Amino acid sequence: MLQRSGFALLARHVVGSILNSRSLARALLASVALAASIVLAGCDTDQVSLATNAKANQPVSPKLVAAMGEKDMDLQSPILIRLFKQEAELEIWKQTRSGQFALLKTYPICRWSGDLGPKVREGDRQAPEGFYSINPSQMNPQSAYYLSFNTGFPNAFDKALGRTGSQLMVHGDCSSRGCYAMTDEQIAEIYSLGRESFFGGQKAFQFQAYPFKMTPVNMAKHRNNPNMAFWKMIKEGYDHFEVTRQEPKVDFCEKKYVFDAAKAPDAKRDPVFDASAKCPAYVIPEDIASAVREKEQRDEAEYNKLVAKGTPVARMNTGIDGGMNKVFASKIPEGSTGLSEGAEGNTLQMLAMSKAPGTIPGTVNPPKPNLEPAATAPREEPVVAVAAPATNTRVASAEKSGGFFSNLGRKMGLGSADTTATTSPPQATASVTPAPATPSTASRLKAAVTRFVPGHHDASKDKPAVGTKSAEPAKPAETKVAATRPALKPSVNDGAGDGTQMAGAAPVVSSNSFDSRFGAVK
């Protein structure tokens, strides 16, 4: 009996120890998981990991994974992002197994705000330009605009110049106030690519934002822009990436960018950079320096040719807030690309018939169209004559009337008729009044007959006055869009998610509609 009781006590002790061990193990595992998520996400945001909800956990689409395989990329290899305002495009580059970066996919930007040029101060509505680093703590799965990541503005260069601003994001919702806005479907895919690169070990990915693709043509078109000195500086980083297909190392000193700096051969330690201080001694590896130098020489030669042959300077735009890719502008009644590259005629009509790469919300506020009069354009550029249709009408009327009176004049022996004398010469501009032409014999005869023939109607008095505005074209009817959207957005590949695509147009709202919805955390 005593032996059985002792065995029972021993059994209870063993079972209790096992249960205590399991509880301790569970507690330790939970602590490790929480610590890992905090390390991954950082401590300066309210999220505890990269993927705390279903939106942030969406897998990369099978088609995009297949494209990676075709381009010799791994799912979790590092990424790099380049963005261009004028083209309204965001590029995702991914590292191949060879170690170089290759273009994986280009996304049209739904909306960006401000002007071409860098962000300078808080509240100027400018979207930043320059080189920024995105780490896991800048990824926001709890964004009020579906998903987002913080660009990291201001960087050390911006701070050295006293530039201010905060919460400058790349996010969904197609609404921007100093940000780069995509559709929800697009940002879901971009977010997933960044998430996988972090899971693969990338500590931070580079975000390069440019006013336009830094080609000789674009540099020539914008040669008179006051931001050109800054643009030439960041073009160096653009060129470094172009010739190496490697993420350029970025440093700052003397309030300027420095790319791919390394210690001098006789130096004992790596150079230390301070954006506001004098540059330390450094060198750029010769293989990179020579390749960049050759590219710059080619670009400079092409630039000089373009300027010499009179490449028109890009017109200065006023009153236009940002841009929108033409793919999205074609879906909105009276939509405009603003400061982004536009499309006209059949191209725009074809885009309107295609599917948008994601859902365009009904609250979208497209950029304003350029309403500057043609007279403000540079003189070397042709001016479109607004009164051209009226001129054609006047010519036809004169020829018809002049034919009858010319024949009558010839029969009466009054000489040959000058049918062109009754028409005004083409207008050079809307404000120029042509000198009156000397009336011909036929004209004088016509005037005499008109005075004495009762009931005769003088068609020349029906000519529209120069500068008279034509009737406003009828506005296209607006198509209503469903107010509700799915919680999860499908991949933007192949126009997936037909139910979320915009079949027609979305209503246009005033700019304050977005401001009223804007929160501190995007």
Side-chain angles (χ1 to χ4, degrees), residues 28-40 48:
L28 290 173
L29 288 174
S31 299
V32 170
L34 180 60
S37 65
I38 292 175
V39 169
L40 185 63
V48 294

Side-chain angles (χ1 to χ4, degrees), residues 98-416:
S98 68
Q100 290 187 314
F101 281 83
L103 181 62
L104 174 61
K105 187 171 180 178
T106 300
Y107 297 85
I109 298 174
C110 194
R111 190 74 167 90
W112 60 272
S113 61
D115 200 350
L116 298 181
K119 183 172 183 62
V120 176
R121 62 184 180 277
E122 184 84 46
D124 62 5
R125 295 184 66 87
Q126 283 290 104
E129 293 175 6
F131 288 70
Y132 300 89
S133 182
I134 315 299
N135 61 50
S137 69
Q138 292 165 247
M139 306 291 282
N140 186 7
Q142 307 292 346
S143 174
Y145 302 102
Y146 199 73
L147 291 167
S148 67
F149 65 83
N150 194 314
T151 62
F153 178 92
N155 60 20
F157 168 81
D158 300 318
K159 292 176 181 177
L161 294 180
R163 295 176 176 175
T164 58
S166 60
Q167 299 296 326
L168 279 303
M169 302 278 186
V170 177
H171 58 68
D173 201 44
C174 193
S175 297
S176 175
R177 192 178 71 176
C179 297
Y180 295 105
M182 318 300 292
T183 64
D184 291 356
E185 290 85 354
Q186 287 176 315
I187 193 62
E189 192 167 274
I190 295 168
Y191 189 98
S192 69
L193 291 170
R195 179 197 66 215
E196 292 301 321
S197 74
F198 290 133
F199 286 165
Q202 186 175 20
K203 295 181 179 179
F205 64 81
Q206 195 170 89
F207 177 74
Q208 306 175 5
Y210 299 98
F212 40 72
K213 293 187 177 180
M214 312 301 276
T215 63
V217 173
N218 283 333
M219 299 297 281
K221 288 180 179 178
H222 296 276
R223 60 187 180 272
N224 290 343
N225 193 291
N227 293 301
M228 183 51 68
F230 170 73
W231 291 342
K232 285 183 177 179
M233 181 172 58
I234 62 174
K235 182 181 181 296
E236 293 182 21
Y238 178 92
D239 291 342
H240 276 242
F241 180 74
E242 286 288 305
V243 301
T244 66
R245 288 293 188 258
Q246 297 279 359
E247 178 182 297
K249 177 177 173 287
V250 180
D251 290 295
F252 313 98
C253 60
E254 298 178 7
K255 299 180 180 180
K256 66 180 182 180
Y257 278 85
V258 177
F259 300 98
D260 289 320
K263 66 179 180 181
D266 56 345
K268 296 181 180 180
R269 63 176 185 175
D270 292 332
V272 178
F273 288 88
D274 186 321
S276 300
K278 183 179 179 180
C279 292
Y282 69 89
V283 297
I284 298 175
E286 182 56 30
D287 57 337
I288 299 177
S290 60
V292 170
R293 188 163 51 248
E294 291 176 4
K295 183 183 184 304
E296 289 177 344
Q297 291 173 352
R298 292 193 303 269
D299 289 350
E300 185 69 18
E302 181 64 22
Y303 170 88
N304 291 333
K305 289 180 181 178
L306 292 167
V307 174
K309 74 176 184 179
T311 298
V313 176
R315 67 185 300 176
M316 299 301 291
N317 298 284
T318 58
I320 301 177
D321 181 19
M324 171 180 280
N325 191 281
K326 55 191 175 185
V327 171
F328 297 108
S330 67
K331 311 293 181 185
I332 303 171
E334 301 181 1
S336 169
T337 54
L339 298 178
S340 297
E341 292 180 342
E344 297 179 357
N346 294 333
T347 303
L348 196 60
Q349 294 176 6
M350 293 177 63
L351 289 172
M353 296 173 62
S354 64
K355 293 180 179 179
T359 304
I360 304 177
T363 53
V364 65
N365 184 26
K368 299 176 182 178
N370 191 340
L371 299 178
E372 290 187 42
T376 61
R379 293 192 176 189
E380 63 270 18
E381 296 182 2
V383 178
V384 178
V386 178
T391 301
N392 293 336
T393 303
R394 290 197 296 268
V395 171
S397 174
E399 288 177 351
K400 183 176 181 180
S401 300
F404 169 79
F405 291 107
S406 297
N407 293 335
L408 180 61
R410 282 195 297 271
K411 291 179 180 179
M412 297 179 64
L414 296 179
S416 61

